[in-house]
Amino acid sequence: MIHQQYFLGIDGGGTKCKARLESQNGELLGEGLSGPANPAQSADIAFNSIIDAAAQAVASANLPTETIKTLHVCLGLAGVNIPAYRGLAEAWKLPFANTLLTTDLHIACTGAHGGQEGAIMITGTGSSAFASVDNVHTIMGGHGFPLGDKASGAWLGWRALSATLESMDNLMPSTPLTDAVCEQLQACKSVDIVAKALHFRSSDYAVLAPLVVAQAKQNESLATSIIEDGATYLTAVLLRLSELNPQRLTMIGGLASYWSDHLPDNIQRLLSPALCSPEYGAVALARQAFKEA
Amino acid sequence: MIHQQYFLGIDGGGTKCKARLESQNGELLGEGLSGPANPAQSADIAFNSIIDAAAQAVASANLPTETIKTLHVCLGLAGVNIPAYRGLAEAWKLPFANTLLTTDLHIACTGAHGGQEGAIMITGTGSSAFASVDNVHTIMGGHGFPLGDKASGAWLGWRALSATLESMDNLMPSTPLTDAVCEQLQACKSVDIVAKALHFRSSDYAVLAPLVVAQAKQNESLATSIIEDGATYLTAVLLRLSELNPQRLTMIGGLASYWSDHLPDNIQRLLSPALCSPEYGAVALARQAFKEA
């Protein structure tokens, strides 16, 4: 009787949870997609999303439901770099055979480098950096908006909106970018913008990021200065990452290709393309942790 | 029979509501102090705080409870510069004889100038500016943190904390200020600071502001550069205010005396001292609006 091993990778974030199920020899068997899985937001919701995504992956592979008990799993979750939230996830009674718990950053890095070690700079709604070199993990950034997340979509939008309000106070001239912000928000008075922005979250600011990118393409001066500040920050982080001597260095996330084109040549030369997805990285880590000899 | 008129001034903010009751000829009769009164946070709580503070002022003046129905009132409330929240306050069924509704900025300005028009720059937990010139009102700043509130206590603390995290990422050297921030937060790792700051509000950041002020006194370079940025912003706002030709220009709020000493001489020369409190200003406005000929 052939003893088949199954490896499941989970990528759990603030809005969704993805699962990828592979066979012993690396064949993709099934996938799953469910809701939020960030224990820093809600440990109960995260637990349910993980079970849901895993069950979907087993079902889509046409495997019996009880296969879930035999899975070798790597969970890559947002928030678990913070000890208190890691503790919540460690306390879960999960139904799998084995579970490796790590950060969303670790699986994204492993995926970007095709299952190997390396370093990544992520720029999407937020920003953060991660390196795995000789099994030593380094996290940079990821401080959350407004404390950090420089060069992220939220940061770009926040810079644009903040400047728009200063222009309305006549502390600086209005510009094509500040005009575009007013148009997108359908607000032409400072008080209307403040009212709209009163409960803005990172994702609301990030909606304005494409305006900065579009204006910078036209060489608009305000947009250009924001992009220059972001590029300066990314350059500093990427240089720090490269000093750790990672095998590969890659930018990922929604803004990665934009930023890659706007960094100094000597920095661009350090970068390699992303190879695979975070959930692929999670499967690779599950395989490294639990594969039978 | 002598017909006595009573004037009540209310200063309603996010944490407390103050009332000041004066007689027709300007004698202080009673005072009141109650809870939050910002309709942008909760219109119901604000309503109750206002009634509570007014009733306390009447009681402390040893006047009959029903005197509240005869009061000529000016309400100066945070948040009512935003039309939606102004609408909530306008819909209140208040028990007073007459009510003038205006902003906390307007009464603070009127108080600072002893019942007259003028302009103010407020720097406390937040920052904002207001001018009343020939009955035309101008608001600058007051955008809320993190969009604006530059040079405020929240902004100073945020700058210090953000720099502390960058120093932990080795993107800049640690300094006496970043060391002081770690000590105050009792956190020596980036992840511990991020965990603590996850739900920080303006007032939590503002707790760190005295560290910036203290280090700037020692000529610490990071603190000095933060103070210079704040002073540059305040200089720009104060110049804009002075261009409106106010009768007087005054800085108020918890950081006012600090900042006044750290502005260029030509700006310091524009400033006059604050004369009276916001609730005094509210009484003055009630008197101007409702005093019988």
Side-chain angles (χ1 to χ4, degrees):
Chain A
M1 174 183 156
I2 297 163
H3 175 66
Q4 170 69 320
Q5 278 193 298
Y6 298 108
F7 298 94
L8 183 78
I10 295 272
D11 175 23
T15 57
K16 58 182 185 289
C17 180
K18 288 184 184 176
R20 178 185 175 94
L21 182 64
E22 288 189 12
S23 69
Q24 198 160 343
N25 56 13
E27 185 190 2
L28 172 63
L29 299 175
E31 293 179 292
L33 177 64
S34 60
N38 181 341
Q41 292 165 359
S42 164
D44 287 346
I45 292 174
F47 178 88
N48 291 331
S49 295
I50 289 161
I51 301 296
D52 184 6
Q56 285 181 35
V58 168
S60 75
N62 292 315
L63 288 166
T65 310
E66 60 270 25
T67 309
I68 205 165
K69 294 181 205 157
T70 72
L71 300 180
H72 302 293
V73 180
C74 172
L75 297 182
L77 303 184
V80 301
N81 57 315
I82 296 176
Y85 300 117
R86 186 180 179 93
L88 293 177
E90 283 174 341
W92 286 335
K93 304 277 181 236
L94 291 162
F96 313 124
N98 298 294
T99 306
L100 171 70
L101 176 65
T102 189
T103 62
D104 54 341
L105 297 169
H106 187 200
I107 63 165
C109 183
T110 308
H113 302 301
Q116 304 301 311
E117 290 195 300
I120 51 168
M121 174 81 228
I122 308 176
T123 50
T125 300
S127 75
S128 54
F130 179 89
S132 175
V133 179
D134 298 333
N135 285 311
V136 175
H137 295 176
T138 304
I139 295 178
M140 296 171 68
H143 305 140
F145 181 79
L147 262 185
D149 283 17
K150 279 189 186 171
S152 69
W155 181 86
L156 289 172
W158 165 72
R159 284 285 303 261
L161 193 51
S162 185
T164 301
L165 288 167
E166 292 210 356
S167 76
M168 289 174 161
D169 278 348
N170 288 313
L171 297 175
M172 55 169 271
S174 66
T175 74
L177 176 56
T178 64
D179 292 345
V181 168
C182 294
E183 194 179 332
Q184 174 139 347
L185 293 178
Q186 297 187 285
C188 59
K189 286 193 298 185
S190 172
V191 67
D192 295 331
I193 290 185
V194 170
K196 275 182 196 267
L198 212 52
H199 304 290
F200 261 24
R201 299 167 63 114
S202 296
S203 52
D204 301 303
Y205 286 111
V207 168
L208 302 172
L211 303 179
V212 183
V213 168
Q215 290 297 331
K217 272 191 190 132
Q218 311 288 324
N219 296 314
E220 199 261 24
S221 61
L222 171 62
T224 302
S225 76
I226 294 172
I227 295 297
E228 281 170 1
D229 287 351
T232 299
Y233 175 76
L234 292 174
T235 296
V237 176
L238 288 164
L239 281 174
R240 278 282 304 142
L241 288 174
S242 73
E243 286 165 13
L244 300 172
N245 290 315
Q247 291 178 35
R248 295 173 88 248
L249 176 56
T250 293
M251 292 192 73
I252 63 172
L255 286 165
S257 66
Y258 176 77
W259 282 122
S260 305
D261 292 343
H262 291 79
L263 295 172
D265 287 346
N266 63 319
I267 302 297
Q268 289 194 32
R269 276 195 292 274
L270 301 173
L271 301 175
S272 303
L275 299 178
C276 304
S277 67
E279 55 275 21
Y280 176 95
V283 172
L285 289 169
R287 197 182 298 279
Q288 288 163 26
F290 303 120
K291 191 165 188 176
E292 288 169 9
Chain B
M1 175 185 157
I2 296 162
H3 175 66
Q4 170 70 319
Q5 278 194 295
Y6 297 107
F7 298 94
L8 183 78
I10 296 272
D11 176 23
T15 56
K16 59 183 184 290
C17 180
K18 288 185 185 175
R20 177 185 176 94
L21 182 64
E22 289 189 12
S23 69
Q24 198 160 343
N25 55 13
E27 186 191 3
L28 172 62
L29 300 176
E31 292 178 291
L33 177 64
S34 60
N38 181 342
Q41 290 167 359
S42 165
D44 287 346
I45 291 173
F47 178 88
N48 291 331
S49 294
I50 289 162
I51 302 296
D52 184 6
Q56 285 181 34
V58 168
S60 74
N62 292 314
L63 289 165
T65 309
E66 61 270 24
T67 308
I68 204 164
K69 295 180 205 161
T70 72
L71 300 179
H72 303 293
V73 180
C74 172
L75 296 182
L77 302 184
V80 301
N81 57 316
I82 295 176
Y85 300 117
R86 186 180 180 94
L88 293 178
E90 283 173 341
W92 286 335
K93 305 278 181 234
L94 291 162
F96 314 126
N98 298 293
T99 306
L100 171 69
L101 176 65
T102 190
T103 61
D104 54 342
L105 297 169
H106 187 199
I107 62 165
C109 184
T110 308
H113 302 300
Q116 305 300 311
E117 291 195 299
I120 51 167
M121 174 82 228
I122 309 176
T123 50
T125 301
S127 75
S128 54
F130 178 90
S132 176
V133 179
D134 298 333
N135 285 311
V136 176
H137 295 176
T138 304
I139 295 178
M140 297 171 68
H143 305 140
F145 181 79
L147 262 185
D149 283 18
K150 279 189 186 170
S152 69
W155 180 87
L156 289 172
W158 166 73
R159 285 284 304 262
L161 192 52
S162 185
T164 301
L165 287 167
E166 293 210 356
S167 76
M168 289 174 160
D169 278 348
N170 288 314
L171 296 175
M172 53 170 271
S174 67
T175 75
L177 176 56
T178 64
D179 291 345
V181 168
C182 293
E183 195 178 331
Q184 173 138 348
L185 293 177
Q186 297 185 285
C188 58
K189 286 193 297 184
S190 173
V191 68
D192 296 331
I193 290 184
V194 170
K196 274 181 196 267
L198 212 53
H199 305 289
F200 260 25
R201 300 168 62 113
S202 296
S203 52
D204 301 304
Y205 286 112
V207 168
L208 302 172
L211 302 179
V212 183
V213 168
Q215 289 297 332
K217 273 192 189 132
Q218 311 288 324
N219 296 315
E220 199 262 24
S221 61
L222 172 62
T224 302
S225 76
I226 295 172
I227 295 298
E228 281 171 1
D229 286 351
T232 299
Y233 175 76
L234 291 174
T235 297
V237 176
L238 289 164
L239 282 173
R240 278 282 303 141
L241 288 174
S242 73
E243 286 164 14
L244 300 171
N245 289 315
Q247 291 179 34
R248 296 173 88 247
L249 176 56
T250 294
M251 292 192 74
I252 63 172
L255 287 164
S257 66
Y258 176 78
W259 281 122
S260 305
D261 292 343
H262 290 79
L263 295 172
D265 288 344
N266 63 319
I267 303 296
Q268 289 194 30
R269 276 195 293 273
L270 299 172
L271 301 176
S272 302
L275 299 178
C276 303
S277 67
E279 55 274 23
Y280 176 95
V283 173
L285 289 169
R287 198 181 297 279
Q288 288 162 26
F290 304 121
K291 191 165 189 178
E292 288 170 8

